[in-house]
């Protein structure tokens, strides 16, 4: 499967993320190097300053070997997806509460 198709799938379903990361892992090392991570950020549509990209990479490259393990990247994306889902649920509930308050004020 092409990376572009996998990326579209990950926008809806994080379960396809592993396949995308494996596709990006050009040297099949089980980890992404800085150049491979830059490709990922580019495909995600993120224009990231080189210093910011390096900081993101260091976040994943915990042992300083120049590689970010695929499972760590996948775990981070899943955590971000859960946090975003929780934020959206809170916003939806807050919106419902505000609507309920308004309707009570009208009565």
């Amino acid at each position: 499967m092409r990376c572009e198709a996998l990326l579209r799938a990950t926008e809806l379903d994080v379960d396809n993320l592993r396949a995308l990361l494996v596709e990006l892992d050009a040297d099949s090392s089980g980890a992404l190097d800085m150049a491979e991570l830059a490709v990922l950020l580019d495909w995600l549509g993120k224009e990231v300053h080189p210093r910011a990209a390096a900081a993101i990479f260091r976040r994943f490259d915990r042992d300083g070997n120049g590689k970010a393990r695929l499972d760590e990247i996948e775990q981070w994306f899943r955590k971000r997806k859960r946090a975003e889902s929780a934020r959206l649920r809170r916003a939806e509930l807050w919106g419902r509460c505000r609507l309920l308050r308004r309707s009570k004020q009208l009565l």
Side-chain angles (χ1 to χ4, degrees):
M1 190 180 278
R2 303 282 307 149
C3 288
E4 293 84 0
L6 289 167
L7 180 58
R8 282 192 298 277
T10 60
E11 290 172 355
L12 302 172
D13 185 3
V14 180
D15 291 331
N16 292 320
L17 179 62
R18 173 58 95 168
L20 174 63
L21 293 174
V22 168
E23 180 77 20
L24 288 172
D25 183 16
D27 60 357
S28 300
S29 64
L32 298 184
D33 60 25
M34 186 62 200
E36 293 164 337
L37 183 65
V39 171
L40 174 63
L41 293 172
D42 184 50
W43 278 348
L44 290 173
K46 305 294 182 191
E47 291 186 31
V48 179
H49 189 278
R51 280 191 218 138
I56 292 168
F57 186 75
R58 282 192 304 272
R59 175 185 196 120
F60 294 120
D61 183 19
R62 296 179 187 251
D63 61 1
N65 69 348
K67 295 284 188 174
R69 288 189 2 232
L70 299 184
D71 60 331
E72 291 178 334
I73 296 171
E74 184 180 16
Q75 182 180 27
W76 181 83
F77 269 93
R78 287 181 184 278
K79 183 179 176 182
R80 294 288 302 237
K81 182 76 169 185
R82 283 192 304 269
E84 178 65 13
S85 294
R87 187 191 66 74
L88 291 173
R89 280 193 306 273
R90 284 191 304 273
E92 181 183 347
L93 288 173
W94 179 249
R96 287 182 186 174
C97 289
R98 288 178 35 196
L99 183 62
L100 182 60
R101 277 191 240 140
R102 282 187 202 146
S103 65
K104 284 182 179 181
Q105 289 173 355
L106 294 174
L107 296 176

